Every structure is written in C-alpha cells, then in structure tokens.
C-alpha cells in the first residue's frame, strides 16, 4: 500500500521525524554493547511471548537496524524516503486495525533490543503504547561480583516466579522483599490473577506518583 505525502500519517511522520532529529544520542546496539564491554555470556534462554515494556527498550540487536531511528525510536529518515512510506503505511494500518504481530527481541540486563519489528516499535511508541508483544530471547551474562550483575540475577530468579519484567530495582534484596510483601514464599510462583492484580495496583500507584 502506498500513501501520498499528505494527510494525517504524513504530518505525524514529519512531527516525529523532527523530534528524532533533535535527539543527539543514537539507539544502543546490543552487538556493540556486548563487544565494547567485553561481556562474557553463558547462554541464551527463550522466554516466549512477552509484553515488552516500552520504557525498557534500549535499542536494536544489530547496527544495520538502528540507522533509521533516534534514541527514543523516533523515525529520522527523510519523509520522501521509502522508509517513510513504509512507516506511514504501518501508522495507518495501526489506526485502522491495530498492530498485533509480535516483534522479535533480545533481553540483556533487563533491557530489550529489537531484532525484527523496529518500525512497529517506533509507531507504537510514538502513539503512546506502554508495551509491545514480542518473542524474546534472554542473553545471560556470566556471574560476576559486580553489584549490577548480582541484582540482575536476583531479577532473573524473581522473573522465573512472577514473569513480571517492568520493575527495575537498584538495591540488592529488593526482589526477594517484594516476593515477601505480596505474601509469597521464596520459591512460590505467581498465578495469572496475581500478576494481573499486581500490575493493576502498580499502574495506579505509578499514575498517582507521577501526578504528585
């Protein structure tokens, strides 16, 4: 489907393109993150279909995918480019039908990097979506004595029980403390109702906190 360079999709593309061009930082590239930091990994774990929090999408898996977007996944290529036409087509399709096809992404240190579906992420983020469905593979770093690494493995243990991924703590012991606060034993898994009720409560708290 081809769109003329006029109308709402076009004006929306130009608006977000201008925002993207104002951002000085680029998307993170997972391959570069792992290489530059000399990260030792110990395997990959398929997580299946996951609701990926938009706030935790840090970039793309490989460099070739990242040149079309700013740090916040705004489009940055010229509005007359083929990329812009495809972005606008996807925007229009989302308005009319909604975007349902999951993206493909990798999770590393509780940050997500998109491998397939970058334009879908861009459109959804520009339209205010809080999450996007994705088939996710976790890349596990080797265990180290660093605090960030220790907290991450506490998160991995917590996720195994709760399947909740939108909480990022900076203090050791926080995930275990939350497990106790919701009335769970250290090794007790959460039910679907547990997750729904907790996420609903967390969302209400977040909205009130941001208002204050």
């Amino acid at each position: 489907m081809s769109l003329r360079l006029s109308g709402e999709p076009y004006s929306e593309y130009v608006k977000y393109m201008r925002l993207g061009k104002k951002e000085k930082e680029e998307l993170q590239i997972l391959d570069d993150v792992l290489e530059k930091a000399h990260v030792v990994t110990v395997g990959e774990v398929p997580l299946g279909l996951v609701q990926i929090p938009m706030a935790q999408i840090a970039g793309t898996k490989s460099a070739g995918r990242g040149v079309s977007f700013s740090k916040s996944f705004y489009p940055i290529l010229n509005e007359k480019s083929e990329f812009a036409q495809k972005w606008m087509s996807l925007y229009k399709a989302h308005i009319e039908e909604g975007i349902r096809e999951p993206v493909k992404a990798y999770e590393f240190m509780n940050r997500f990097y998109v491998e397939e579906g970058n334009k879908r992420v861009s459109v959804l983020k520009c339209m205010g979506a809080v999450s996007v469905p994705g088939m996710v593979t976790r890349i596990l770093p080797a265990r180290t004595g660093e605090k960030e690494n220790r907290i991450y493995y506490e998160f991995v243990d917590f996720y195994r029980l709760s399947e909740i991924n939108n909480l990022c703590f900076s203090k050791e012991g926080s995930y275990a403390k939350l497990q106790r606060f919701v009335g769970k034993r250290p090794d007790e898994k959460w039910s679907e109702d547990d997750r729904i009720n907790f996420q609903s409560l967390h969302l209400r708290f977040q909205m009130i906190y941001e208002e204050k």
Side-chain angles (χ1 to χ4, degrees):
M1 178 173 59
S2 176
L3 297 178
R4 293 178 299 167
L5 294 180
S6 62
E8 185 179 11
Y10 170 72
S11 63
E12 290 298 288
Y13 184 87
V14 171
K15 177 178 72 175
Y16 291 119
M17 179 191 70
R18 288 172 177 168
L19 290 175
K21 288 183 178 296
K22 289 181 180 179
E23 292 190 333
K24 295 181 179 180
E25 295 184 58
E26 299 178 350
L27 281 176
Q28 293 185 30
I29 310 299
L30 179 57
D31 291 343
D32 292 344
V33 170
L34 297 176
E35 181 180 356
K36 291 178 181 178
H38 304 291
V39 175
V40 178
T41 61
V42 292
E44 298 183 355
V45 180
L47 301 180
L49 184 62
V50 172
Q51 282 296 323
I52 304 173
M54 281 290 186
Q56 289 162 235
I57 299 180
T60 65
K61 173 65 167 60
S62 56
R65 304 278 185 171
V67 296
S68 305
F69 307 96
S70 70
K71 180 186 177 182
S72 299
F73 262 97
Y74 294 132
I76 56 176
L77 298 186
N78 187 280
E79 67 270 24
K80 296 183 180 180
S81 65
E82 181 181 358
F83 170 87
Q85 292 289 327
K86 292 179 178 179
W87 193 98
M88 290 187 286
S89 295
L90 191 59
Y91 175 94
K92 186 171 185 291
H94 180 61
I95 293 293
E96 296 174 349
E97 305 170 6
I99 295 175
R100 299 181 180 88
E101 183 181 358
V103 303
K104 182 178 179 181
Y106 285 84
E107 182 254 288
F108 176 71
M109 299 295 289
N110 208 12
R111 293 291 181 268
F112 295 86
Y113 301 84
V114 183
E115 183 175 43
E116 296 177 5
N118 290 281
K119 284 191 291 295
R120 275 170 274 165
V121 170
S122 177
V123 168
L124 287 170
K125 188 159 188 177
C126 287
M127 298 190 72
V130 297
S131 66
V132 58
M135 298 299 296
V136 175
T137 299
R138 170 175 288 154
I139 297 178
L140 286 170
R143 289 181 181 268
T144 69
E146 297 177 353
K147 179 182 177 182
E148 183 181 13
N149 182 274
R150 295 196 303 269
I151 293 175
Y152 176 70
Y153 269 97
E154 290 182 2
F155 160 74
V156 170
D157 291 338
F158 175 75
Y159 181 85
R160 177 176 54 82
L161 301 172
S162 67
E163 296 185 13
I164 288 176
N165 61 5
N166 62 335
L167 298 175
C168 301
F169 292 126
S170 58
K171 184 178 180 180
E172 291 180 80
S174 296
Y175 290 105
K177 184 180 294 186
L178 176 59
Q179 179 80 355
R180 293 196 304 272
F181 281 170
V182 298
K184 298 291 184 182
R185 298 186 305 275
D187 60 347
E188 185 178 354
K189 288 192 174 184
W190 296 35
S191 67
E192 182 65 23
D193 285 343
D194 291 333
R195 285 190 288 273
I196 292 173
N197 291 336
F198 178 82
Q199 294 287 38
S200 176
L201 178 63
H202 180 259
L203 179 60
R204 290 202 300 272
F205 171 81
Q206 185 178 30
M207 290 173 64
I208 294 171
Y209 179 82
E210 291 175 353
E211 287 178 0
K212 297 295 184 180

